[in-house]
């Protein structure tokens, strides 16, 4: 999966999370958030394999995972969730990922 595909995947998932929250489909939103976290973990592992432990990009992805976890916990506990705000926070975090990662040069393409 190349850089554009990963960014597109996150963007699509964020939109689907927002839609699920607006439709009050908590279980679906939680599954989508789990997919977001899984994709971020996979990306973090790939980056870490190339750049080494402790690189800045991994820290950014860890922050993204923490945000996803917090939203998931709020949904689990039945707290009020503003779908638009969650969407903006997720996309703001994705912007940090995009600003700090160039997969074309940082991560070898899969064969």
């Amino acid at each position: 999966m190349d850089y554009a595909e990963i960014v597109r995947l996150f963007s699509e998932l964020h939109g689907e999370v927002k839609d699920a929250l607006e439709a009050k489909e908590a279980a679906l939103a939680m599954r989508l958030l789990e997919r977001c976290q899984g994709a971020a973990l996979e990306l973090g592992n790939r980056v870490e394999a190339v750049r080494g432990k402790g690189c800045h990009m991994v820290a950014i992805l860890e922050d993204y995972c923490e945000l996803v976890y917090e939203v998931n916990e709020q949904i689990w506990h039945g707290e009020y969730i503003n779908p638009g705000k969650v969407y903006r926070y997720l996309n703001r975090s994705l912007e940090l990922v995009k600003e700090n990662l160039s997969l074309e040069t940082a991560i070898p393409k899969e064969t």
Side-chain angles (χ1 to χ4, degrees), residues 42-80:
E42 180 182 333
L43 179 56
N45 288 336
R46 290 177 63 194
V47 169
E48 191 172 75
V50 172
R51 294 187 180 174
K53 290 189 182 256
C55 74
H56 184 64
M57 188 65 232
V58 171
I60 290 170
L61 288 165
E62 288 171 350
D63 288 345
Y64 174 84
C65 285
E66 181 63 28
L67 171 63
V68 169
Y69 173 80
E70 289 174 12
V71 171
N72 208 12
E73 282 293 298
Q74 289 175 339
I75 295 169
W76 176 257
H77 292 290
E79 296 176 25
Y80 170 75

Side-chain angles (χ1 to χ4, degrees), residues 82-93:
N82 180 319
K85 189 179 275 190
V86 168
Y87 181 74
R88 284 190 304 276
Y89 285 160
L90 290 172
N91 283 332
R92 192 173 301 143
S93 188

Side-chain angles (χ1 to χ4, degrees), residues 14 17-24 80-88:
H14 295 169
V17 168
K18 180 179 182 255
D19 292 345
L21 290 172
E22 288 173 342
K24 305 222 184 299
Y80 170 75
I81 301 287
N82 180 319
K85 189 179 275 190
V86 168
Y87 181 74
R88 284 190 304 276

Side-chain angles (χ1 to χ4, degrees), residues 24-45:
K24 305 222 184 299
E25 296 180 24
L28 175 59
M30 290 173 64
R31 285 193 304 274
L32 292 165
L33 288 166
E34 288 171 11
R35 287 185 59 200
C36 290
Q37 194 167 39
L41 289 171
E42 180 182 333
L43 179 56
N45 288 336

